[in-house]
Amino acid sequence: MLIDGLLVFQAVAVAGLILIGGLVEGYGYGLSLGTRWPYHEKILILAIRGDPEAWHRIVATALGLNAAAIAVLAPDANTLSGLVLIILTAMLGMATLHVLAGKAPAFLHGLHGLLAYATFITYLLVLRPSAPPVWTYLQFMVPLHAFLLMIFLGGMVTGQRGYQRAIGAFVLPRTKGQWVFTLHYLAGLLFLLTLAVYVRAYSAALILALTQFIIGFALFHAVNDKPKHPGILVVFHQGMALFILLALVYTWRVALPGLG
């Protein structure tokens, strides 16, 4: 009973941490605690005042402690992998601060996001007793390949534009930020194509992914209009990505004409 509660908390908290990260980006709190990591002498005061970056670090700490407890109480390939992934994601948290400050390459921000979503996948699998090890699952779960590529490049978009800078409207990409956004967009198209091929199993994911494109375009304009604080659309974008991932892992289906 205890382990079940810890596992549910872990999965929900990982998703919550990703959404809090969206708040951090959406409202310009990325460097509110500077580049000092993981803690700041005023972190609790800032958390009480509602600083999402402070909460991001506090929740990440709780996740790490909970992951260690789960790995001790129910050691297997997935719980141990989850612990390792959380440690790596946390370590890259420091790197993302330096990316935002313009002192580290953007791919580290993309890798941070990739590991966060891989962690979520891992604990979703832990909640399924018959699930295979996460690395085996990822190897054969083809739609997740394009999805995780899209997540990685989405993180790079944030990292490449740095702290509170616009991407800029364009027809043909000229800057590094525009090139990375273009690759992110192409990865999204690849993901849609993959879902179309496997539509019988992942029809709900396909519908959610099409909706995500609309949110993504709105977010692109929000970033250009208000680069310092693009707002709640960042959270919606991350939230939709989480729903797409749930639709993939649990193979949610929606009846579509001609497919049953």
Side-chain angles (χ1 to χ4, degrees), residues 8-255:
V8 171
F9 169 82
Q10 194 74 352
V12 171
V14 171
L17 188 65
I18 291 171
L19 293 176
I20 294 171
L23 282 172
V24 170
E25 179 186 350
Y27 291 95
Y29 283 90
L31 293 176
S32 65
L33 275 68
T35 56
R36 295 179 60 182
W37 181 94
Y39 303 114
H40 185 283
E41 63 270 15
K42 296 182 179 180
I43 189 169
L44 294 178
I45 295 174
L46 291 170
I48 293 171
R49 291 176 178 173
D51 186 325
E53 174 62 15
W55 280 108
H56 193 72
R57 299 188 191 190
I58 291 171
V59 173
T61 301
L63 278 169
L65 294 174
N66 198 50
I70 291 171
V72 170
L73 294 172
D76 64 20
N78 282 335
T79 57
L80 293 174
S81 294
L83 176 59
V84 171
L85 284 168
I86 282 179
I87 292 171
L88 292 174
T89 305
M91 291 175 64
L92 277 168
M94 176 175 60
T96 60
L97 298 176
H98 290 281
V99 171
L100 294 178
K103 299 177 181 179
F107 85 88
L108 292 175
H109 203 292
L111 187 58
H112 180 70
L114 177 65
L115 290 175
Y117 276 86
T119 302
F120 188 47
I121 294 169
T122 301
Y123 285 104
L124 289 178
L125 293 180
V126 175
L127 287 168
R128 298 169 59 184
S130 60
V134 63
W135 308 113
T136 302
Y137 180 79
L138 289 175
Q139 181 180 355
F140 294 101
M141 182 66 168
V142 176
L144 277 178
H145 300 170
F147 175 83
L148 291 174
L149 175 62
M150 185 175 62
I151 292 296
F152 170 71
L153 290 169
M156 278 196 67
V157 169
T158 300
Q160 190 61 57
R161 78 181 188 88
Y163 189 53
Q164 301 181 344
R165 292 204 307 269
I167 298 170
F170 66 96
V171 176
L172 295 176
R174 291 183 175 85
T175 66
K176 288 182 180 180
Q178 291 171 356
W179 275 109
V180 173
F181 179 83
T182 300
L183 291 175
H184 177 56
Y185 177 80
L186 292 174
L189 291 178
L190 176 62
F191 180 52
L192 285 178
L193 179 61
T194 304
L195 291 176
V197 172
Y198 294 93
V199 66
R200 289 185 180 275
Y202 304 112
S203 54
L206 177 59
I207 293 171
L208 291 170
L210 289 168
T211 305
Q212 179 74 311
F213 258 77
I214 297 172
I215 297 174
F217 273 116
L219 178 56
F220 173 78
H221 290 292
V223 165
N224 286 331
D225 289 341
K226 298 179 179 179
K228 293 184 178 181
H229 42 85
I232 198 66
L233 279 175
V234 181
V235 183
F236 287 161
H237 197 56
Q238 293 284 11
M240 185 59 71
L242 290 170
F243 273 116
I244 292 170
L245 182 52
L246 288 170
L248 290 172
V249 173
Y250 292 107
T251 58
W252 292 346
R253 295 181 179 88
V254 174

